[in-house]
């Protein structure tokens, strides 16, 4: 079985615990306005690789992954679009090396079609782009429903999760939205960590290379104080929700 691969990284440090091999899959149904890899959207692009070929790329660095408590993270694009391939890859690295597996996903998939993949996944990094349905649609060009259903599926099964939010000034600053985001977190089981990732402009040149107008031109990165406020309001919502369970 082959997958369509966008790129790979052998020394990832922010995509799960420890040092990780990060495989970026080609294809994504979301079109986030801040996406720093819009070249991953097209499902027909990328390089075809087999599970064996990916394993051969991983093997030289196993000592680093093992010593640091790291492993393999499959990201994107959106890896659930190629769930059978990622499932086979996860099972193979576990069989060979007992490797820790992490799925980095936006959750925009039918949860029922990802069962085998989730069975082979140790940790899910779930990006919930926005809590407000209309703002989520405007930001990503897709509805939030599938992502929320996927989050519930993970919660009900007790799957370990890290939830992540890319914070964009002017899009994520509404107090009610941040509290509501926290209220959602407070109802989910298995959330080991929550992270706010400050928006940056590092992907602008890729939009330009593709001849696309960058939707967030002129939007600055958030100040530290703005991120601290967001954490505070989300935690306020999380604690309020936890008290009602």
């Amino acid at each position: 079985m082959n997958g369509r691969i966008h790129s790979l990284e052998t020394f990832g440090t922010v995509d799960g615990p420890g040092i990780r091999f990060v495989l970026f899959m080609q294809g994504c149904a979301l079109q986030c306005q801040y996406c720093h890899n819009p070249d991953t959207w097209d499902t027909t692009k990328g390089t075809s690789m087999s599970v064996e070929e990916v394993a051969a790329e991983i093997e030289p660095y196993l000592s680093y992954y093992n010593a640091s408590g790291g492993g393999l993270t499959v990201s994107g694009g959106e890896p659930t679009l190629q769930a059978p391939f990622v499932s086979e890859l996860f099972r193979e690295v576990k069989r060979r090396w007992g490797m820790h597996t992490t799925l980095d996903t936006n959750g925009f998939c039918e949860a029922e079609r990802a069962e085998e993949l989730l069975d082979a996944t140790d940790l899910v990094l779930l990006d919930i782009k926005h809590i407000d349905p209309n703002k989520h649609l405007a930001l990503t060009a897709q509805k939030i429903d599938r992502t929320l259903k996927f989050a519930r599926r993970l919660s009900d099964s007790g799957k370990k999760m890290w939830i992540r939010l890319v914070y964009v000034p002017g899009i994520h600053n509404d107090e009610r939205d941040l509290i509501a985001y926290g209220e959602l977190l407070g109802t989910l089981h298995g959330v080991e960590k929550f992270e706010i990732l400050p928006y940056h402009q590092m992907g602008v040149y890729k939009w330009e290379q593709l001849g696309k107008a960058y939707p967030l031109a002129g939007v600055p990165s958030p100040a530290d104080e703005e991120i601290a406020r967001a954490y505070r309001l989300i935690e306020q919502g999380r604690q309020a929700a936890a008290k009602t369970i």
Side-chain angles (χ1 to χ4, degrees):
M1 184 182 295
N2 282 25
R4 301 203 70 82
I5 310 303
H6 173 265
S7 56
L8 56 86
E9 181 181 352
T10 58
F11 205 83
T13 58
V14 296
D15 300 290
I19 299 170
R20 310 192 69 82
F21 186 99
V22 186
L23 187 71
F24 297 92
M25 306 299 293
Q26 184 71 29
C28 188
L30 271 62
Q31 297 185 7
C32 298
Q33 292 182 351
Y34 54 73
C35 182
H36 59 275
N37 284 317
D39 51 327
T40 64
W41 294 353
D42 190 339
T43 57
T44 67
K45 303 294 185 181
T47 301
S48 178
M49 293 182 71
S50 67
V51 167
E52 186 62 39
E53 287 172 324
V54 175
E57 295 284 347
I58 295 172
E59 191 165 16
Y61 309 99
L62 281 174
S63 60
Y64 295 101
Y65 308 140
N66 293 337
S68 67
L72 167 65
T73 295
V74 177
S75 184
E78 175 47 47
T80 60
L81 289 180
Q82 302 186 63
F85 173 81
V86 182
S87 300
E88 183 174 326
L89 175 61
F90 277 2
R91 288 194 298 267
E92 184 60 17
V93 299
K94 284 182 172 295
R95 184 188 69 80
R96 292 191 187 192
W97 306 306
M99 205 171 194
H100 182 276
T101 55
T102 294
L103 179 70
D104 183 4
T105 176
N106 57 44
F108 189 78
C109 69
E110 295 294 343
E112 298 80 8
R113 297 183 180 181
E115 291 297 330
E116 288 190 16
L117 173 55
L118 293 177
D119 287 344
T121 300
D122 296 313
L123 173 67
V124 176
L125 306 184
L126 180 60
D127 297 309
I128 302 178
K129 310 293 186 176
H130 208 294
I131 196 62
D132 180 272
N134 293 326
K135 294 175 183 177
H136 187 280
L137 180 61
L139 180 64
T140 70
Q142 295 290 357
K143 295 182 179 180
I144 195 175
D145 306 62
R146 285 187 178 184
T147 297
L148 294 181
K149 184 178 178 182
F150 189 78
R152 292 295 176 199
R153 160 66 181 82
L154 297 175
S155 175
D156 291 345
S157 66
K159 183 65 67 175
K160 294 178 180 178
M161 286 183 275
W162 292 6
I163 306 292
R164 304 195 297 184
L165 169 67
V166 175
Y167 183 98
V168 184
I171 293 178
H172 294 100
N173 54 294
D174 187 278
E175 179 175 329
R176 292 167 298 179
D177 291 339
L178 292 168
I179 292 174
Y181 199 106
E183 289 172 345
L184 170 65
L185 295 184
T187 65
L188 297 176
H189 303 289
V191 179
E192 295 186 330
K193 187 176 183 180
F194 169 69
E195 293 181 292
I196 294 177
L197 308 178
Y199 161 76
H200 59 71
Q201 302 86 6
M202 291 170 60
V204 174
Y205 76 97
K206 287 194 175 182
W207 289 73
E208 295 172 347
Q209 287 178 340
L210 295 170
K212 295 177 179 289
Y214 187 61
L216 300 180
V219 176
S221 296
D224 292 344
E225 295 78 9
E226 195 169 359
I227 296 298
R229 170 183 175 269
Y231 269 120
R232 185 172 65 253
L233 290 170
I234 289 171
E235 179 61 18
Q236 178 182 326
R238 188 196 67 80
Q239 290 189 10
K243 290 178 181 178
T244 65
I245 297 178

